[in-house]
Amino acid sequence: MTQHLDSPQALSTDGAPTPRRLRVHPPRPVTTAPLDMGDAPGTPQGIRLTSRWVERDGTPWFPVMGEYHFSRDLPDRWERELRKMKAGGITVVATYLLWILHEEVRGELRWDGQRDLRRFVELADEVGLKVVIRIGPWAHGETRNGGFPDWLQALPVAHRTDDPAYLALVRGWYTAVEEQVRGLFHDEENPGGPIIGVQVDNELYDQPDHLGTLRDVAEEVGIRATLWVATGWGGAQLPPRRLLPVYAGYSDGFWDESTTVWPDFGIMHFTFNTVRDDLSVGADLRDAPADVDTAATLGADDPWPFATCELGGGMQVAYHRRPLVDSDDVAALALTKLGSGSAWQGYYLYHGATQVIGDRSTTQESQQTGYPNDLPVRNYDFFAPLGAEGAERPHFHQLRRQHLFLDAFGRDLATYPTVLPPATDDPVRWAVRSDGERGYLFVNNHQPAVAALPDVDGVQFDVELTGALAGSTVTVPREPFVLRSGAFAAWPLRQRLGTVPAVTVTAQPITRLDTERGPVVLFAATDGVGVELQLEGIDPGDVSGADVTVDGDVVVAVPTAAPGLGCEVAVAGTTFVFLDPALADSVWQGTIDGRESVVLWSGSGWFDDDGLRLEVPERDAVLAVHPPLREAGDLGPRAAEGSVFTTYVVPGSDVVRRVDPPVFDLAAVAPVRTGGSSGRFSAPDDADFDALAPVEVAVPDALFDEAERLMLTLDWTGDAIRVQAGDLLVADQFWYGRDLEVDLTPYRDLIRTRGLWLRAFAWSPESGVYVDPRVRPDSAMPVLEVHEATLRSVRTLSLR
């Protein structure tokens, strides 16, 4: 439910700024979602849907879901990468089942190696993650035939309909899936089962009866899901009561035209609104063009929670169009969805992937198989929070900060509906989620760099909470401020934090922890906004670490220290710690030595059974922990201690080796061709690459002995590149301004005996391919150069 009440006023009659105003009333009572799914009342660990939130064990639950394709990674990596996901705040892992990878040859089903679905689900369960399986039969996922095996694609059946011949094939596929995960479903008989949801098909817009049939078939063969979902974008028609629609939101899209600088759909995902649908996702595969205006009300009044499964964790590149999505784009979009009423954050992709080369064909989306786009043969990295090779990108840390907030405070946030100011030409984008007594104020002034928003001066908010005793108007902050370009945040309004009955703060909560000295709440300061606390129900003498003034019943406190580890404000037995944005992105929370711990660490790592496992940095780095470690282990001497955190030195090591950059003798330009269903630029093919002279990258074999993993990073400029171990294609990339990362460890033997080789095409100054103008080469001549090549020995140590 959304309210649009009371016009904000940006300027008074004399031109002076006045607060933007919003009146918030208590929401309508919540009801049970009108869907035929969910556990029966009283079921242990039962999952149910209300009209606004997901419920688990009778209390609101805010799921955070990340997509990770088990079959597009190596099985010896699964556990480590799942642990990274959990450390990033993911609570549910979603994964496609790509039929083509399991039954490339008709009748020869494979569940071995990287196709071992059961092992993957069991590992997720061991790590502590719930699972949603996306069982198709059609999946998309930038896969050949949308995931259909070639033999199925070629059959004379009406695909993706209730044609009995097609359904017979689907029944066989679903039966095989059920056999693999039997006993792993969450249900009344197995309330601890990891699989809580099943998605049928994907991006099917006009076959509601068929979607209902797919659920019927799945249930008939023994698939017993608590939640049944289907993609709801594109104005999808779903069968009544049978499927929960889940939605998408991307900051950019490779599927747009090469002449597009920023797609029209982009702005809706950086503006607070209750539009759940995005008609543009998958529009390149539909006959009718997307009409963005048609989405104006789609999903806004749905009587079930706003759930997402494809908030863009980054963006894939195609040959013709190569978006350069930044980490801030991903984090700002995610926060905007929270402010717009999301009750289930789901990311696609959260973990990058590598396309599989099958026995009979490659398996990527391509013009050769009827698609409008050519994608890399191997690279499906997506610039995801976790890269295809496990790299932890900046938005992995930025999103973790949001996910810790949801873990600590999401139980309340999930119950708060969104309240929006009316549509005006006001440049400030903001919203409130509230129950009429307390809430959170969301603000976003970020868009991608190609459409960056300017600073906004004189910003201040008045929020009237009519459900509070005798009403309560919160003015935040007390004085107007400059909302900086790129800023985005969520601020508490009259929240009960620790021992303080009501706190309003111009900083975003991260997490809370209990200590011997009392509750501690960590906050992230907002870039360009001074930290200000408005405290109710406490005596001003109970505040320390801040300059204090009294305004009626409100105690206003401004910390005396700048945001950082030393910025602590103690209030009536509760300690508030305010971190600068960079330090806030370094907060981790998990179990170390059997104790719930909070760690500040700006490097890479994950929690395992022993504690926090850190990747050894290139140089000494500082780490802070609460509670203090019982034993320092491999860490250096303890550094100066703060009042909440104890700091240690993590010793660095010589983990990066720079090698001579390969030099290409000829800057060959790829032939210009168009193809596919939309006549877009085509990628160079195997024959084109085979005609190029390969260049060797020297990899000393001894480096493998020094590392758990050996990572090659190429900082290069060009058009398209392939990396081969001997004749095996192990990686490729269409250049778009980012490095190419390759884990060489699985290919050691091939590299030792047959070498590591590059073949690459130069960037053409006449290219019509879209590359972000920030990085597009400004040269009158073809460009092909490896600027730097490094080999990084990944080693870890355990923090216990």
Side-chain angles (χ1 to χ4, degrees), residues 64-104:
V64 180
M65 184 167 71
E67 187 92 9
Y68 175 31
H69 297 157
F70 70 99
S71 57
R72 287 168 161 172
D73 203 357
L74 301 179
D76 59 358
R77 297 174 177 169
W78 289 345
E79 181 178 353
R80 181 187 68 227
E81 301 307 305
L82 287 167
R83 289 189 181 279
K84 290 180 183 178
M85 292 180 70
K86 186 181 180 186
I90 297 298
T91 58
V92 181
V93 58
T95 193
Y96 273 135
L97 304 188
L98 302 171
W99 194 345
I100 189 174
L101 302 186
H102 296 278
E103 196 177 6
E104 190 174 12

Side-chain angles (χ1 to χ4, degrees), residues 11-219:
L11 296 175
S12 64
T13 56
D14 62 0
T18 60
R20 290 158 171 82
R21 295 189 173 93
L22 195 62
R23 179 181 295 125
V24 181
H25 298 292
R28 292 193 297 261
V30 70
T31 59
T32 300
L35 296 168
D36 297 329
M37 63 186 73
D39 295 319
T43 301
Q45 305 178 47
I47 298 172
R48 306 181 70 197
L49 298 177
T50 75
S51 52
R52 289 207 303 272
W53 64 81
V54 183
E55 203 173 73
R56 184 170 66 174
D57 247 353
T59 60
W61 177 42
F62 208 121
V64 180
M65 184 167 71
E67 187 92 9
Y68 175 31
H69 297 157
F70 70 99
S71 57
R72 287 168 161 172
D73 203 357
L74 301 179
D76 59 358
R77 297 174 177 169
W78 289 345
E79 181 178 353
R80 181 187 68 227
E81 301 307 305
L82 287 167
R83 289 189 181 279
K84 290 180 183 178
M85 292 180 70
K86 186 181 180 186
I90 297 298
T91 58
V92 181
V93 58
T95 193
Y96 273 135
L97 304 188
L98 302 171
W99 194 345
I100 189 174
L101 302 186
H102 296 278
E103 196 177 6
E104 190 174 12
V105 177
R106 188 173 186 179
E108 297 181 10
L109 277 159
R110 295 184 58 185
W111 301 98
D112 59 310
Q114 68 189 102
R115 300 167 177 82
D116 192 342
L117 170 64
R118 186 174 189 89
R119 181 185 172 199
F120 179 79
V121 174
E122 289 174 339
L123 280 173
D125 189 30
E126 290 175 19
V127 167
L129 297 172
K130 297 301 182 184
V131 180
V132 169
I133 52 175
R134 306 173 82 180
I135 63 175
W138 194 87
H140 196 194
E142 286 67 70
T143 315
R144 180 184 179 96
N145 308 324
F148 281 166
D150 284 4
W151 60 263
L152 173 59
Q153 183 76 8
L155 287 177
V157 299
H159 299 86
R160 306 178 74 190
T161 72
D162 280 350
D163 176 357
Y166 173 70
L167 289 179
L169 297 165
V170 172
R171 182 178 295 274
W173 167 242
Y174 282 3
T175 297
V177 171
E178 189 278 332
E179 289 172 352
Q180 293 302 308
V181 292
R182 186 174 298 163
L184 298 179
F185 292 101
H186 166 92
D187 55 29
E188 295 180 25
E189 297 179 0
N190 183 24
I195 300 176
I196 63 169
V198 173
Q199 178 184 309
V200 293
D201 214 86
N202 194 76
E203 298 175 339
L204 188 59
Y205 306 102
D206 58 355
Q207 297 283 333
D209 291 344
H210 176 58
L211 289 172
T213 299
L214 290 178
R215 175 176 169 177
D216 290 339
V217 172
E219 290 184 308

Side-chain angles (χ1 to χ4, degrees), residues 357-391:
I357 297 178
D359 293 335
R360 298 196 171 187
S361 71
T362 61
T363 60
Q364 85 285 6
E365 172 180 321
S366 69
Q367 294 175 355
Q368 184 181 9
T369 54
Y371 284 90
N373 317 301
D374 266 343
L375 269 70
V377 175
R378 297 284 270 162
N379 189 303
Y380 195 51
D381 178 80
F382 221 86
F383 191 58
L386 291 170
E389 309 289 18

Side-chain angles (χ1 to χ4, degrees), residues 501-584:
V503 184
T504 298
V505 195
T506 57
Q508 183 169 319
I510 305 172
T511 190
R512 55 189 170 197
L513 58 153
D514 294 322
T515 72
E516 294 179 356
R517 59 185 288 185
V520 174
V521 183
L522 303 186
F523 291 85
T526 302
D527 187 30
V529 183
V531 175
E532 175 189 275
L533 298 91
Q534 298 179 33
L535 310 167
E536 301 175 54
I538 62 101
D539 188 282
D542 289 336
V543 181
S544 62
D547 293 326
V548 175
T549 59
V550 178
D551 184 0
D553 294 332
V554 178
V555 175
V556 181
V558 177
T560 55
L565 269 182
C567 185
E568 298 184 4
V569 178
V571 183
T574 296
T575 301
F576 300 126
V577 182
F578 297 95
L579 306 176
D580 61 78
L583 198 55

